[in-house]
């Protein structure tokens, strides 16, 4: 069996484009949350997020996001990275693994949910794609995440514990790492799976895995081709704009 193609680094930004960031590898998991809190917080039908290690996010703009704390309701305070100018929320700070807002990616359509959670409160008119994995309530990481993502999660937790032990070296580096500014110098961890995890769920036999692997690889290749076309078109537009200003 051939190894899945590595996921290409993709970029994202806030609304005003002052904050630009890049995912250094594929996400651990992608999900759509239909809970009432997410519906109210986003003002729409559901929240779409992806889980990834904070050190696998690199800030590529001169301006770095600020870390904001907000009490959503009594006893529930959220921390998230946001643009200091337009206040766009980029990712929730549930360290050391964060929840990136998929809509802030330049090509969000590449990230199809691995699972739809809290579908018990899904809006009645919302029709999910055929075959979509659904969960009535919350997301059970141990049951839903692929083994490769769980392994990366363990590595991430160990790195976080090590960072806590070294915190006495100063708070400045800790603050920089929190914003994602040290991602490349610390070194991101390369993932080995597709953007929509579709990982090896426990109990899956070899035949089922082989079939799903081929389907996943085909879907990934199609998305990569679409991404390449979009990037080429974007480069052509940029070149034309540069020529017009000369």
């Amino acid at each position: 069996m051939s190894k899945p193609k590595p996921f290409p680094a993709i970029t994202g930004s806030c609304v005003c484009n002052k904050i630009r960031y890049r995912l250094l590898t594929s996400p651990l998991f992608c999900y759509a949350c239909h809970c009432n809190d997410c519906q109210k917080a986003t003002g729409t039908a559901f929240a779409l997020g992806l889980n990834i290690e904070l050190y696998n996010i690199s800030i590529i703009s001169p301006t770095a996001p600020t870390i904001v704390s907000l009490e959503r309701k009594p006893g529930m305070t959220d921390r998230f990275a946001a643009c200091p100018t337009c206040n766009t929320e980029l990712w929730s700070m549930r360290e050391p693994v964060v929840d990136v807002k998929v809509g802030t990616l330049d090509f969000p359509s590449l990230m199809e949910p691995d699972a739809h959670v809290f579908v018990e409160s899904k809006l009645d008119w919302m029709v999910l794609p055929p075959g979509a994995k659904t969960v009535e309530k919350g997301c059970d990481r141990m049951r839903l995440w692929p083994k490769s993502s769980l392994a990366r999660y363990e590595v991430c937790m160990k790195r976080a514990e090590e960072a806590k032990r070294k915190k006495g070296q100063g708070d400045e580096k800790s603050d920089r790492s929190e914003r994602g500014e040290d991602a490349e110098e610390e070194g991101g961890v390369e993932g080995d799976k597709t953007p929509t995890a579709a990982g090896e769920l426990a109990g899956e036999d070899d035949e089922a895995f082989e079939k799903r692997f081929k389907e996943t690889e085909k879907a990934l290749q199609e998305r990569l081709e679409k991404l390449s076309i979009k990037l080429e078109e974007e480069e052509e537009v940029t070149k034309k704009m540069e020529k017009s200003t000369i």
Side-chain angles (χ1 to χ4, degrees):
M1 182 185 298
S2 59
K3 186 177 180 180
K5 296 178 176 63
F7 185 67
I10 63 172
T11 53
S13 73
C14 61
V15 173
C16 72
N17 210 42
K18 283 195 174 181
I19 305 292
R20 296 283 300 163
Y21 69 90
R22 181 172 68 243
L23 302 185
L24 301 181
T25 189
S26 57
L28 296 160
F29 196 73
C30 186
Y31 65 92
C33 182
H34 298 264
C35 77
N36 292 324
D37 285 343
C38 282
Q39 290 171 353
K40 291 181 181 296
T42 61
T44 186
F46 58 89
L48 185 58
L50 64 84
N51 303 118
I52 195 169
E53 306 93 332
L54 181 58
Y55 52 69
N56 271 328
I57 301 176
S58 176
I59 305 302
I60 57 176
S61 57
T63 304
T66 55
I67 307 303
V68 180
S69 293
L70 180 64
E71 187 175 33
R72 301 287 190 185
K73 58 184 180 181
M76 189 182 81
T77 299
D78 283 347
R79 295 175 70 249
F80 50 86
C83 173
T85 301
C86 66
N87 296 319
T88 300
E89 295 183 23
L90 300 166
W91 52 82
S92 298
M93 297 297 293
R94 295 184 177 88
E95 302 168 74
V97 171
V98 299
D99 297 284
V100 175
K101 311 292 186 181
V102 170
T104 65
L105 294 175
D106 293 335
F107 301 104
S109 60
L110 289 172
M111 298 295 169
E112 296 179 17
D114 296 300
H116 290 259
V117 300
F118 285 102
V119 294
E120 63 179 6
S121 51
K122 178 180 70 64
L123 300 186
D124 293 338
W125 52 261
M126 175 64 65
V127 179
L128 301 182
K133 179 174 285 297
T134 61
V135 182
E136 285 296 306
K137 294 185 180 295
C139 180
D140 184 343
R141 181 175 62 246
M142 296 303 296
R143 184 171 68 86
L144 294 176
W145 282 26
K147 292 178 182 178
S148 56
S149 290
L150 292 175
R152 281 171 57 186
Y153 179 80
E154 289 301 317
V155 170
C156 183
M157 294 304 294
K158 289 178 181 178
R159 287 182 62 162
E161 289 299 320
E162 183 65 22
K164 285 183 180 179
R165 287 194 289 269
K166 295 180 178 179
K167 194 173 182 180
Q169 296 177 0
D171 291 333
E172 181 179 351
K173 182 174 177 59
S174 176
D175 291 340
R176 282 174 54 80
S177 178
E178 189 175 58
R179 293 191 298 267
E181 295 176 75
D182 288 337
E184 289 187 303
E185 58 185 76
E186 289 182 6
V189 176
E190 179 67 25
D192 61 354
K193 59 182 192 55
T194 64
T196 54
E200 313 94 316
L201 299 176
E204 184 177 44
D205 60 33
D206 292 341
E207 183 178 352
F209 175 79
E210 176 72 21
K211 178 181 178 181
R212 182 173 47 73
F213 171 81
K214 290 180 178 178
E215 293 174 349
T216 301
E217 186 175 42
K218 180 181 178 182
L220 174 61
Q221 187 60 42
E222 290 175 351
R223 290 180 197 148
L224 292 180
E225 290 173 358
K226 290 180 181 178
L227 175 60
S228 297
I229 293 173
K230 288 182 179 179
L231 291 176
E232 289 174 1
E233 292 175 347
E234 190 176 88
E235 289 177 358
E236 285 298 320
V237 172
T238 302
K239 289 179 181 178
K240 289 180 180 179
M241 291 179 63
E242 290 176 348
K243 288 181 179 178
S244 64
T245 55
I246 296 177

